[in-house]
Amino acid sequence: MVFQQLVVNGIIAGSEYALLAIGLTLIFGILRIIHFAHGEVAMVGAYVAFVVSVSLGLPLPVGFVVAICFGALLGMAVNRFAFKPLRKQHVWIGLIAAIAVSILLQNIIALFFGNEIKTYNLGPVEKGMEMFGFIITKTQVLIIVVAVALMILTWFFIKKTKTGQQARAVADNRHLAESLGIDSEKVIASTFAFGSALAAAGGVLIAMETNLDPMMGLMPNIKAFAAVIVGGVGSVPGAILGSYFIGLTENIGIWYLPSGYKDAIAFFILIVFLLFRPQGILGKKKEGIEQ
Amino acid sequence: MIALELKSISKHFGGVTALENVSFKLEQGKTLGLIGGNGSGKTTLLNVITKMISPNSGEVHFKGKRVDNLPAYKIARLGIGRIFQIGGIFNNMTLLENLFVATNSGNEEEAERILNEVGLVQKKNEKAATLSGGQQRLLEFGRVMIRNDELILLDEPFAGVSEGNCKKIEEVIGKLQKEGKTIILIEHDSKRIKRICNQLIELDEGKLAKKTNID
Amino acid sequence: MIEAYLLHLLILICIYAILSMSLTLLTGYTGMLNLGHAAFFAIGAYASVLLVMAGFPFWLGFLAAGGVAALFGVLLSIPSLRLRGDFLAIATLAFGEIIRSIMLNWTELTRGPLGIPGIPKPELFGIVFDSMLTYFVLTIVVVLATYVVLKYLLDGKFGIALKAIRENELIAESLGKDVKMLKMQAFAISALFAGFAGSLFAHYITFIDPSSFTLSETVLVLLMVVLGGLGSLVGSIAGAIILILLPEPLRFIGLPSSMVGQLRQIIYAGLLIVLIIKRPKGLFGEQWFGGIVSDSS
């Protein structure tokens, strides 16, 4: 494999991580909860698209849209039933709840669909286009384009919509925002819906490139979280930058290391950043990590 | 003998000056009152002495030995005890446990004797969270007593405490003074300060504004 | 047959009781959530197996299992000196995954995903623990020893100091507690016993591979600790008993075995959610995290 190919692979992986990382960082910014089950929301999204496109025989884009809508609902449900009863608890109780939700979703899907790998029946394996010394498939181009489009949409949501502004206000100072008449619970629910919709979209894209299985969300989500830390918690541009950083580092890293260590590279970056630069690449202040 | 000496201590938080060039000496067995408005740097000064924060410059000497380069727990082990403005006890531990954590001996008799002195012995096996604000403060006094601290830093020990417990606290302070302990007291009530302290330092925006002897 | 089945469950309960007691020392007493606990379990298992299969006696493998795990415990305590709460938890999770990644990829040492089969049963003082009954005796002895040692440590000044760190590190330090050293000791002791459990597990099952030491293993032990009550050794043992026995009836209602595994996980996860919402202090624990509000501003 040539070096350019590893860079392209890193960009594809980064695009996928970014769709998860945006929701993680928004949710963390508001609730200070590490949404460990966010990857399972993506996984469920991928299975919803599978049901629509393979079981019902509708076109995959329809499945993609249904998955996004279902993802939003699932995100709100997770917030309502697992996180909302635990507000004001010790910081890591929310994390335990999220881990439990993650295991729950993995096994419910496994119960219905089995543990074996599934695909979207996209026809015979695509032959990639060759350019500048690397190969890229149409699906992979599509992944990058859709991911970037959704990032632009996110920017619009955060900067231009009323909910986005309110979300930033609640993340900044919840009590102050409430005293100005902002319904923070509603804003939190919207944030979950928005972030989870993006995650579901990410899940479908990941499944298009590789395949579906009940554990498919776990690793991308932990890497997305590493991206959030690298970019600075709570920052959306940081999360996107961090995603490409993680995607590129782990792919270029296997130029030097056995490819089996790809996942370990992301975890190593995560620990190093937590310890030595908890405010991330872009962040200025320590976001309360060390109280 | 000089118990505590601060040599030109300065501390800045970002651009804000909390302490600037503060120096003073405190003799053993004396009680120093620390006064000044909100944000004048009183609590920061105590934090610097116990190394809960590090000063930007300056030195802290305890009984002739430089201590500001030691970690916080080693400073505490030299015999510097502290009563906090808020949240100075371990809420989910019993009163006895709150005392045991402060010493290296698990001597229950000693702990009970001290709880008796601060009037809390009946509650020895209850969680500290059940205590009133004043009782919590008294428990902290119990802690400096069991540790036998030589220098005791009191950060507004009377704030938000009922009259009865204020009396009790003053009694306890009097007892510590008799035992020859060195004390620094942050307090707003000027009558009480005059009653308890031998010396007075006023801080103003982090600077030492005035030093008086009361006798 | 039924006797063997019951002994099998008892042996598993013993191994998990050691694990859950070791985790409550860290998570229940010291207040540090360790999501990489399965890594200590794994390190103990591999250390013991590799030594014994290289010809060393079992007692040496067993002690090395604890010792090597404890060394890694000291290593993992380094993040705990700088990180709090959920960030520490994520760092421990990353640690666990890195260890698993090494087990998968360092094939010269671990045979990677193929695992190590044919692990011999332990032999001590000329006795081979190859029957279920003798193995049960061996594990219960280790459980009792673990309980006695941890009980002695945690009821004494060490335990009180750990609780003080859990409640408020700064105040603990202002009272002369060497917080860094105490955290390091807590991690080392916790890992030590998890390593012992790993050795007992490996020589009982006689086959190990990296898939036995995943995050869901850590979560199961964590659930035992939370169910029993954080900060209670008896509770941790009770948690192990209940959670090993709880899914067993599923075996007898005629479900396909693949579904049993999934239902088991669904029960565990669902129970964990209900538990932390409805009864966060568990069966025997102190409710110490119920009242602590995370400082988010």
Side-chain angles (χ1 to χ4, degrees), chain C residues 59-265:
Chain C
W59 63 266
L60 191 72
F62 181 78
L63 292 181
V68 177
L71 283 180
F72 278 89
V74 171
L75 183 70
L76 186 55
S77 76
I78 295 168
S80 79
L81 308 181
R82 299 189 63 155
L83 300 170
R84 306 270 175 282
D86 42 2
F87 283 89
L88 173 61
I90 287 296
T92 60
L93 183 141
F95 165 80
E97 290 301 320
I98 289 173
I99 295 293
R100 209 166 65 84
S101 200
I102 293 172
M103 292 186 303
L104 275 170
N105 289 291
W106 193 357
T107 46
E108 297 85 357
L109 187 72
T110 66
R111 290 173 38 97
L114 296 175
I116 304 176
I119 299 166
K121 292 282 184 185
E123 193 186 328
L124 273 179
F125 318 115
I127 309 163
V128 183
F129 294 86
D130 54 356
S131 76
M132 296 287 260
L133 189 64
T134 50
Y135 210 93
F136 170 63
V137 172
L138 176 68
T139 52
I140 195 101
V141 167
V142 180
V143 169
L144 290 175
T146 306
Y147 178 81
V148 169
V149 171
L150 290 182
K151 179 89 183 149
Y152 172 76
L153 284 175
L154 293 174
D155 280 356
K157 64 176 194 188
F158 180 65
I160 292 177
L162 295 187
K163 280 194 200 174
I165 290 174
R166 178 187 83 192
E167 297 291 316
N168 192 325
E169 271 181 38
L170 287 176
I171 297 176
E173 199 159 23
S174 82
L175 294 169
K177 297 294 160 202
D178 186 348
V179 172
K180 289 181 179 174
M181 180 53 86
L182 285 162
K183 281 183 170 178
M184 201 174 277
Q185 287 166 346
F187 261 102
I189 295 168
S190 176
L192 176 83
F193 285 102
F196 290 152
S199 171
L200 290 177
F201 174 80
H203 292 274
Y204 173 62
I205 303 290
T206 68
F207 170 77
I208 51 169
D209 72 333
S211 74
S212 308
F213 309 104
T214 57
L215 177 64
S216 61
E217 203 67 14
T218 299
V219 172
L220 174 59
V221 180
L222 183 64
L223 178 53
M224 290 167 179
V225 168
V226 175
L227 175 67
L230 285 156
S232 160
L233 286 175
V234 175
S236 300
I237 298 173
I241 296 172
I242 295 169
L243 288 174
I244 293 296
L245 295 182
L246 187 72
E248 285 305 311
L250 290 175
R251 282 184 205 278
F252 302 108
I253 54 176
L255 286 169
S257 64
S258 65
M259 285 175 85
V260 170
Q262 283 142 18
L263 278 175
R264 226 168 84 127
Q265 295 294 329

